[in-house]
């Protein structure tokens, strides 16, 4: 089980998602799981996630009911201690 669960939520923010992915992947601490919840973006965010799927524990791209709903989806998938 990972020590840390990192959850990123995104909706049509390709640039911000790309920066966030890069930042997480560059961390020296590696005992984490990385979950990305995308709200069904139409700006190539889905393709970016697909390209990085090997480095992600889980990613979902589907419509949701907003920020809190997206974060709750991520929390439901999380298995880390923190």
């Amino acid at each position: 089980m990972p020590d840390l669960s990192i959850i990123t939520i995104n909706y049509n923010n390709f640039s911000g998602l790309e920066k966030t992915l890069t930042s997480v992947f560059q961390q020296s601490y590696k005992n984490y799981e990385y979950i990305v919840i995308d709200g069904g973006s139409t700006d190539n965010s889905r393709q970016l996630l697909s390209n990085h799927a090997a480095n992600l524990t889980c990613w979902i791209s589907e419509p949701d009911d907003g920020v809190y709903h997206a974060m709750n989806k991520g929390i439901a998938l999380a298995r880390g201690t923190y």
Side-chain angles (χ1 to χ4, degrees), residues 6-9 17 21 25 32-38 49-50 52-62 73-79:
I6 302 170
I7 303 168
T8 297
I9 58 172
L17 178 60
L21 292 174
F25 297 150
Y32 65 81
E33 65 178 350
Y34 192 19
I35 300 165
V36 180
I37 308 297
D38 176 72
L49 293 170
S50 180
H52 290 285
N55 297 318
L56 301 171
T57 305
C58 176
W59 68 275
I60 297 171
S61 182
E62 64 187 16
K73 283 184 189 181
I75 290 168
L77 294 168
R79 298 293 172 248

Side-chain angles (χ1 to χ4, degrees), residues 11-79:
Y11 181 67
N12 285 334
N13 185 10
F14 176 87
S15 177
L17 178 60
E18 186 174 44
K19 290 175 187 176
T20 302
L21 292 174
T22 299
S23 176
V24 171
F25 297 150
Q26 290 177 348
Q27 298 302 307
S28 60
Y29 185 78
K30 298 295 181 189
N31 191 14
Y32 65 81
E33 65 178 350
Y34 192 19
I35 300 165
V36 180
I37 308 297
D38 176 72
S41 294
T42 58
D43 68 346
N44 292 323
S45 293
R46 184 182 179 104
Q47 183 62 42
L48 179 64
L49 293 170
S50 180
N51 291 345
H52 290 285
N55 297 318
L56 301 171
T57 305
C58 176
W59 68 275
I60 297 171
S61 182
E62 64 187 16
D64 54 48
D65 294 327
V67 175
Y68 296 106
H69 186 228
M71 184 55 81
N72 285 332
K73 283 184 189 181
I75 290 168
L77 294 168
R79 298 293 172 248

Side-chain angles (χ1 to χ4, degrees), residues 1-6 29 33 78-82:
M1 178 167 32
D3 285 338
L4 182 65
S5 297
I6 302 170
Y29 185 78
E33 65 178 350
R79 298 293 172 248
T81 303
Y82 300 101

